[in-house]
Amino acid sequence: MIFDVPPALYVSERYLGAVLPEKRVFRFRPFSRFAEIERELEKADIGFFTANQIEHFPDGYFDISISVSALHEMRGNQIAHFLSRMSALTTGLVYLK
């Protein structure tokens, strides 16, 4: 699952969809509850979401979470919230770069 800001999300969705045509892609779209997308997402190999949509995912949903070059773009309170959510969402390892 890829969470990013809209311009970068669009680029990664388009690129990965093109270079990995055999993969089932859950394309970005708005939703307000995880239950709305859960069944379709379970069948996907790759999913694309805006950063704010991470709030809709249930605790413990991910085995591993990776965040690269994101924290420097956030205010202190946003960093605290982000790290708290990553911890709650991830059952295994959290990697920050």
Side-chain angles (χ1 to χ4, degrees), residues 13-86:
E13 183 177 309
R14 186 173 166 108
Y15 175 76
L16 291 174
V19 299
L20 301 170
E22 72 284 359
K23 299 295 183 184
R24 294 167 294 185
V25 175
F26 180 92
R27 301 213 176 269
F28 166 77
R29 66 173 167 274
F31 64 96
S32 57
R33 291 182 7 234
F34 185 74
E36 295 173 31
I37 63 160
E38 186 173 11
R39 285 191 183 153
E40 184 180 351
L41 185 58
E42 286 174 358
K43 298 174 188 172
D45 297 308
I46 306 169
F48 296 92
F49 304 91
T50 52
N52 64 313
Q53 290 178 317
I54 202 165
E55 297 296 330
H56 300 304
F57 280 74
D59 288 355
Y61 189 79
F62 301 106
D63 296 324
I64 298 171
S65 293
I66 300 169
S67 177
V68 176
S69 298
L71 297 180
H72 69 282
E73 297 179 357
M74 299 180 197
R75 294 184 311 272
N77 63 326
Q78 291 173 314
I79 292 171
H81 178 72
F82 178 74
L83 294 176
S84 173
R85 286 302 298 144
M86 285 192 76

